[in-house]
Amino acid sequence: MIPADLIEAARQRRWLVTGAAGFIGSHLVESLLNAGCTVTGFDNLSTGHQHNLDVVSQRCGSEAWSRFSWMQGDVRDMAACREACRSADVVLHQAALGSVPRSIEHPEATNEVNVGGFVNMLTAAREAGIKRVVYASSSSVYGDSPVLPKKEEHTGRPLSPYALSKWVNEEYASIFARCYGMELVGLRYFNVFGPRQDPHGAYAAVIPLWFAALLRGEALQVNGDGETSRDFCFVANVVQANIRAALVENTEALNRAYNVACGERTTLKELAGGIAKALHELRPDLSEEATLHHRDFRAGDIAHSLADISAAKNLLGYRPTHQIVDGLRIAAEYYLERSDLSK
Ligand code: NAD
């Protein structure tokens, strides 16, 4: 949802969302269209899906959908980036290859899309006269730093090609701000979840994987002892942070990166219980408790993650509207409705 006080300003911009057919990108598109905005969606449908956009079109209705322009293209293709930027005033750059394990298996592809594609988008935006670009960074930039909570200024050494790609994005952003006067805001997302997050594939994230496993009546595969913790963040909070960053007027808020999370830590054991409970409340025939099956810790993973969100609160006016329990309830409704997941 777009904060009510920003709707008027949002309507005055033409928005470009890269990665629009993905999980987070499709929520950005939906919220912007619902607020009356004009949006271009740019995506190569590699990890995103046409059906995410079909769902958005159904949920928004035909008037809102008429304000959406679709462009299938690749951020590695400079001409496509230029074309996408032609009719936009602001860019929300989400397109990237996510997942730490994928990046460990495919460092070259991760670099080409996440770093090369990022530089292409910044260049195309600059050439088109677009000043403001908000881009998806990641909590993975904290790397091996053990300090909790994570504060923006204290990053460690990256632990994977994915983390490195996001760290390089932030460095490029400050170079483009310095050399070309652009206004760039990085958002370090912390374990985002919600409807439309993909439960399929080798690189699926833990929450959709576990919803799908519980719906099939299976045990949950836990990497490690279950005491690993994360600051899980419902996707509506991420949408809000993007819109606030895109429209913020205070120049002190620009050209830096912010933590986007709830500022609360949940262990994997607690998460498993929360998912089982959310499903059980809606479908009492499903067990209220999850069976856990432990395996080794995964390479490149960090043990604990907890965000200090005071910078986003103070400079962007960000206020998480959904805590993890609220988000799990909404996600449970979504996964229960997916006929491909139930037994
Ligand atoms: P997603 O895979 O659902 O979305 C990414 C989208 O980018 C997909 O639709 C994909 O098709 C598109 N894409 C990939 N390569 C592309 C290319 N070469 N050209 C054009 N489009 C391309 O993932 P998501 O979870 O929605 O992630 C969105 C962004 O947020 C990514 O930058 C990701 O790194 C970042 N992020 C996500 C999380 C999370 O927990 N989901 C956490 C931290 C950062």
Side-chain angles (χ1 to χ4, degrees):
M1 284 262 292
I2 303 221
D5 56 315
L6 295 180
I7 288 181
E8 212 34 62
R11 284 186 185 159
Q12 286 162 24
R13 268 72 164 182
R14 295 165 304 161
W15 298 77
L16 169 61
V17 178
T18 74
F23 159 50
I24 296 171
S26 68
H27 282 276
L28 289 166
V29 171
E30 181 177 348
S31 296
L32 286 164
L33 291 177
N34 278 335
C37 301
T38 301
V39 183
T40 298
F42 179 43
D43 199 301
N44 71 346
L45 299 180
S46 56
T47 60
H49 305 283
Q50 178 61 47
H51 67 72
N52 285 339
L53 293 172
D54 296 342
V55 170
V56 171
S57 116
Q58 281 159 19
R59 286 169 61 93
C60 289
S62 56
E63 184 284 317
W65 192 245
S66 69
R67 287 182 268 101
F68 181 70
S69 308
W70 165 241
M71 190 182 150
Q72 185 166 343
D74 197 304
V75 292
R76 289 168 293 185
D77 174 356
M78 190 65 215
C81 296
R82 287 194 175 107
E83 176 64 24
C85 286
R86 259 182 358 135
S87 46
D89 308 307
V90 57
V91 180
L92 305 179
H93 179 61
Q94 312 300 311
L97 287 177
S99 155
V100 164
R102 186 207 314 268
S103 78
I104 290 172
E105 279 179 46
H106 302 290
E108 73 304 337
T110 301
N111 190 68
E112 281 168 19
V113 175
N114 296 12
V115 179
F118 183 73
V119 176
N120 283 350
M121 280 307 305
L122 292 191
T123 304
R126 177 174 67 87
E127 288 174 1
I130 299 172
K131 269 192 112 169
R132 183 79 55 99
V133 178
V134 178
Y135 63 94
S137 182
S138 161
S139 59
S140 63
V141 299
Y142 291 104
D144 65 358
S145 163
V147 180
L148 288 181
K150 306 294 184 196
K151 282 182 184 290
E152 283 85 349
E153 55 276 29
H154 297 133
T155 52
R157 289 174 64 84
L159 294 173
S160 65
Y162 174 74
L164 180 62
S165 74
K166 295 294 181 177
W167 183 84
V168 173
N169 283 180
E170 293 190 6
E171 294 298 314
Y172 260 117
S174 56
I175 297 296
F176 271 69
R178 186 173 300 124
C179 296
Y180 310 116
M182 289 178 75
E183 300 175 344
L184 296 145
V185 183
L187 299 176
R188 294 179 183 165
Y189 303 157
F190 281 63
N191 294 79
V192 188
F193 71 99
R196 299 201 285 275
Q197 192 172 25
D198 198 347
H200 297 303
Y203 306 119
V206 62
I207 291 184
L209 264 182
W210 284 4
F211 268 113
L214 288 181
L215 285 170
R216 289 192 301 263
E218 292 171 2
L220 303 184
Q221 304 296 324
V222 184
N223 298 327
D225 59 5
E227 295 305 326
T228 299
S229 65
R230 294 286 182 268
D231 195 335
F232 294 100
C233 184
F234 187 61
V235 66
N237 301 327
V238 171
V239 170
Q240 184 204 145
N242 270 274
I243 305 307
R244 289 194 180 282
L247 297 175
V248 69
E249 287 174 6
N250 175 7
T251 50
E252 273 179 47
L254 302 173
N255 303 319
R256 49 169 299 162
Y258 295 91
N259 292 339
V260 176
C262 281
E264 277 181 22
R265 191 148 67 111
T266 304
T267 66
L268 290 179
K269 265 188 195 155
E270 289 165 342
L271 175 70
I275 293 177
K277 190 157 178 267
L279 285 172
H280 176 77
E281 276 171 8
L282 293 168
R283 276 257 315 267
D285 59 308
L286 293 168
S287 170
E288 200 175 357
E289 279 173 28
T291 308
L292 306 186
H293 177 262
H294 296 273
R295 56 190 184 191
D296 285 347
F297 284 97
R298 233 172 30 173
D301 270 354
I302 48 176
H304 300 290
S305 192
L306 170 68
D308 178 329
I309 55 172
S310 53
K313 279 184 166 171
N314 296 339
L315 287 163
L316 300 179
Y318 167 72
R319 299 282 181 280
T321 51
H322 293 71
Q323 300 304 313
I324 184 166
V325 278
D326 310 315
L328 288 179
R329 207 172 297 127
I330 298 168
E333 280 170 25
Y334 167 79
Y335 290 109
L336 275 169
E337 275 171 19
R338 280 190 54 159
S339 53
D340 58 322
L341 299 180
S342 295
K343 274 199 291 186

